[in-house]
């Protein structure tokens, strides 16, 4: 189990530990408890987008991930059950609490994606939405009288649902991930993986990885952002498993005397959290238990930062294309960047 690697990472030993212990306990390690208390008070935010054509189980998977009715479809009325003529982007937020930890979870849905006769450029409204959240955050950030804690509506992660065709990625899949992987962390999943045999599943996963490499699509976790050798070793294992073949269900069934989430068929029950049945547990661990903070950090320090620099450069260009010069002779966008 690759997640056990986290538990086996040795604790680094400081060079001057001997000297420190001779002089007595200082208490530097108490900073961790201070940080924990502060984080517990503030709570956390996580914004997750789901993209894929209708009927692939996006809502069910979200409900399964967070073990509650968090998807948009879970709370809307039946009159709204229709395929929109154009892509609509709708979000719904929930406050989730577990063992004293509070999190504001926002699930962003994209009904209408991939459901039209002509799906050309259907990635554009989604790209526009993601950039609009960066713009909103930027405007809050550059305010002279800015808030102590800026509300974060930036999309931290996009789960892209691939239909279980068993062949290869479709042009719409390649086009979407090629454009969007530059602005958001994309985690591709094979939807309704129980419709494939294990051999078909492994073949399809291999084909998807080949298509991603051939089209130079950089999905999460991106190789270039591995921080050290330990990171690289863990992330390499994840990259070898992507796309995760998943099954979602919010129904419980009795299996060998235990109540388990699963999908009942004539041949037996597909257990959602059983890794020999599907890879849902690996997806959940990646998104929630091991990499959630890293996903947020890459959104902030890489994707948002690229947007911020580009926008500040755009704002500080003369109509003739030359940068505005500040009073001290430094281009104004450099002054702004340093002040931020």
């Amino acid at each position: 189990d690759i997640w056990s690697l986290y538990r086996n990472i040795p604790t680094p030993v400081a060079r001057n530990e001997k000297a420190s212990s001779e002089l007595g306990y200082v208490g530097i390690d108490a900073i961790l408890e201070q940080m924990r208390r502060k984080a517990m008070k503030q709570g956390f935010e996580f914004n997750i987008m789901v993209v894929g054509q209708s009927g692939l189980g996006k809502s069910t998977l979200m409900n399964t991930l967070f073990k509650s009715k968090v998807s948009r479809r879970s709370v809307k009325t039946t009159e709204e059950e229709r395929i929109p003529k154009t892509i609509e982007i709708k979000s719904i937020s929930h406050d989730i609490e577990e063992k004293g930890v509070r999190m504001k979870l926002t699930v962003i849905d994209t009904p209408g994606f991939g459901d039209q006769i002509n799906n050309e450029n259907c990635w554009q409204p989604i790209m526009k939405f993601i950039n609009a959240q960066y713009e909103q955050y930027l405007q809050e950030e550059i305010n002279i009288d800015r808030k102590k804690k800026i509300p974060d509506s930036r999309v931290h992660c996009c789960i892209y649902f691939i239909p279980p065709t068993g062949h290869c990625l479709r042009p719409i899949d390649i086009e979407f991930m090629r454009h969007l992987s530059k602005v958001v962390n994309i985690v591709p999943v094979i939807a309704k993986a129980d419709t494939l045999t294990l051999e078909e599943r492994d073949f399809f996963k291999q084909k998807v990885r080949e298509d991603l490499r051939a089209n130079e699509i950089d999905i999460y976790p991106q190789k270039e952002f591995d921080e050290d050798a330990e990171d690289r070793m863990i992330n390499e294992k994840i990259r070898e498993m992507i796309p995760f073949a998943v099954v979602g269900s919010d129904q419980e069934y009795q299996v060998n005397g235990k109540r388990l989430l699963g999908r009942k068929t004539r041949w037996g029950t597909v257990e959602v959290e059983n890794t020999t049945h599907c890879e849902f547990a690996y997806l959940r661990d990646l998104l929630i238990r091991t990499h959630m903070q890293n996903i947020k950090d890459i959104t902030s320090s890489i994707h948002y930062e690229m947007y911020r620099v580009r926008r500040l450069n755009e704002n500080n260009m003369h109509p003739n294309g030359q940068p505005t010069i500040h009073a001290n002779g430094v281009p104004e966008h450099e002054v702004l960047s340093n002040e931020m």
Side-chain angles (χ1 to χ4, degrees):
D1 184 351
I2 65 166
W3 311 110
S4 63
L5 288 168
Y6 276 99
R7 293 189 287 273
N8 297 329
I9 294 171
T11 306
V13 178
R15 287 178 194 162
N16 60 347
E17 190 175 306
K18 189 180 174 190
S20 164
S21 60
E22 284 172 3
L23 297 169
Y25 175 68
V26 176
I28 295 166
D29 59 343
I31 187 71
L32 295 174
E33 179 57 25
Q34 294 168 43
M35 289 166 70
R36 192 189 73 84
R37 279 205 310 271
K38 185 179 179 182
M40 292 280 278
K41 275 183 192 173
Q42 288 181 340
F44 301 89
E45 293 169 314
F46 192 53
N47 307 322
I48 190 164
M49 176 181 266
V50 288
V51 179
Q53 68 188 61
S54 58
L56 291 179
K58 301 187 294 295
S59 299
T60 305
L61 188 75
M62 284 299 98
N63 294 343
T64 314
L65 264 176
F66 295 98
K67 296 196 172 174
S68 53
K69 304 282 185 187
V70 296
S71 71
R72 183 184 58 85
R73 284 189 62 182
S74 302
V75 294
K76 73 176 187 177
T77 58
T78 50
E79 292 103 59
E80 293 180 82
E81 294 279 345
R82 57 174 184 79
I83 294 173
K85 290 188 172 67
T86 56
I87 296 171
E88 298 175 357
I89 297 175
K90 300 188 174 183
S91 60
I92 186 161
S93 296
H94 299 269
D95 290 315
I96 297 175
E97 187 166 337
E98 185 179 58
K99 294 185 178 177
V101 179
R102 289 179 297 107
M103 184 173 77
K104 182 188 176 187
L105 172 73
T106 301
V107 179
I108 303 131
D109 197 1
T110 55
F113 176 87
D115 294 327
Q116 317 306 320
I117 294 168
N118 179 4
N119 289 302
E120 194 179 354
N121 296 332
C122 61
W123 54 271
Q124 287 180 346
I126 297 169
M127 171 83 90
K128 190 178 174 185
F129 176 86
I130 290 169
N131 282 334
Q133 308 318 302
Y134 290 150
E135 182 64 27
Q136 192 176 313
Y137 194 89
L138 176 63
Q139 292 307 317
E140 288 280 0
E141 199 175 49
I142 62 178
N143 273 341
I144 293 170
D145 192 18
R146 64 181 178 185
K147 295 169 184 165
K148 190 177 177 184
K149 188 174 188 295
I150 299 173
D152 190 1
S153 64
R154 296 171 296 182
V155 180
H156 299 126
C157 180
C158 171
I159 302 181
Y160 185 75
F161 287 69
I162 302 166
T165 62
H167 302 298
C168 57
L169 287 176
R170 305 164 303 160
I172 186 177
D173 304 325
I174 292 168
E175 193 74 356
F176 177 87
M177 288 192 276
R178 196 164 59 82
H179 285 99
L180 271 291
S181 61
K182 295 178 176 71
V183 298
V184 70
N185 298 310
I186 291 186
V187 177
V189 300
I190 297 169
K192 298 194 169 181
D194 53 331
T195 60
L196 300 170
T197 66
L198 292 179
E199 292 77 16
E200 287 169 341
R201 189 178 86 179
D202 291 342
F203 173 78
F204 190 31
K205 280 164 68 79
Q206 185 59 41
K207 283 293 292 176
V208 169
R209 283 194 291 269
E210 286 170 12
D211 286 346
L212 291 171
R213 276 194 298 271
N215 290 280
E216 298 180 341
I217 296 167
D218 213 4
I219 45 87
Y220 184 83
Q222 302 91 333
K223 248 182 202 176
E224 60 183 304
F225 305 143
D226 291 345
E227 289 180 7
D228 50 37
E230 288 162 357
D231 253 15
R232 200 171 303 117
M233 179 176 66
I234 290 160
N235 290 345
E236 207 51 60
K237 294 277 187 187
I238 297 166
R239 286 189 279 266
E240 286 168 13
M241 295 177 69
I242 281 176
F244 296 109
V246 298
V247 176
S249 174
D250 41 20
Q251 298 292 313
E252 282 192 344
Y253 295 97
Q254 194 88 13
V255 180
N256 298 328
K258 292 181 184 174
R259 301 286 298 171
L260 300 171
L261 284 173
R263 279 171 56 81
K264 203 168 181 65
T265 69
R266 281 187 292 173
W267 303 276
T269 304
V270 180
E271 297 169 32
V272 166
E273 299 188 62
N274 186 335
T275 52
T276 61
H277 290 197
C278 77
E279 294 168 340
F280 167 82
Y282 295 130
L283 173 69
R284 179 203 57 210
D285 288 357
L286 175 77
L287 292 177
I288 302 170
R289 300 184 182 182
T290 62
H291 282 65
M292 182 186 279
Q293 189 57 50
N294 183 253
I295 287 169
K296 292 179 67 175
D297 289 346
I298 287 177
T299 299
S300 183
S301 61
I302 308 293
H303 296 306
Y304 169 68
E305 189 61 19
M306 283 172 69
Y307 179 86
R308 189 185 74 88
V309 169
R310 191 179 79 240
R311 284 287 287 114
L312 292 179
N313 281 335
E314 281 171 10
N315 286 349
N316 292 288
M317 295 296 276
H318 270 312
N320 64 4
Q322 296 301 311
T324 304
I325 301 299
H326 199 258
N328 61 7
V330 179
E332 195 170 347
H333 72 267
E334 286 183 24
V335 175
L336 276 171
S337 298
N338 291 334
E339 285 175 352
M340 314 264 326

